[in-house]
Amino acid sequence: MKLTIDISKYPLAENYKDPIREFIDELAKYPNLHILTNTLSTQVFGDYDDVMEAIQACIKWSFKKYGKVVFVCKFLHGDLRPE
């Protein structure tokens, strides 16, 4: 089963750009994912299990490294990459 996640990260810190970039870099370590970024969010596409494993690990990593962070996620069934 394919999955699409639209995720936005809001670090509760003055320097917010580095934690966002590093979160995207962590996601990019998972070779089975397709990742698109824009100015508002990051979109992750792939097999359900692969996507969920990566998101779970990267959110946990982010909490451990940066403490208070807000994530807003939308989960959509299927691979909804723009063509």
Side-chain angles (χ1 to χ4, degrees):
M1 175 182 353
K2 297 295 182 184
L3 181 66
T4 296
I5 296 180
D6 183 79
I7 186 167
S8 298
K9 178 180 179 177
Y10 301 98
L12 301 179
E14 194 169 315
N15 175 21
Y16 61 90
K17 290 182 182 179
D18 289 340
I20 293 170
R21 286 186 189 117
E22 289 181 21
F23 177 77
I24 295 167
D25 291 343
E26 282 297 308
L27 281 173
K29 292 179 180 178
Y30 291 82
N32 293 334
L33 304 183
H34 183 81
I35 300 167
L36 295 176
T37 60
N38 60 52
T39 57
L40 297 175
S41 66
T42 299
Q43 293 144 3
V44 184
F45 309 88
D47 182 71
Y48 180 91
D49 292 331
D50 294 338
V51 173
M52 292 301 289
E53 175 187 343
I55 291 294
Q56 180 180 358
C58 291
I59 288 175
K60 185 175 184 177
W61 169 88
S62 187
F63 286 152
K64 284 182 176 181
K65 183 163 184 177
Y66 293 106
K68 294 185 179 182
V69 177
V70 175
F71 287 94
V72 177
C73 304
K74 298 175 195 170
F75 295 82
L76 300 99
H77 181 260
D79 186 335
L80 303 175
R81 275 183 260 187
E83 296 186 24

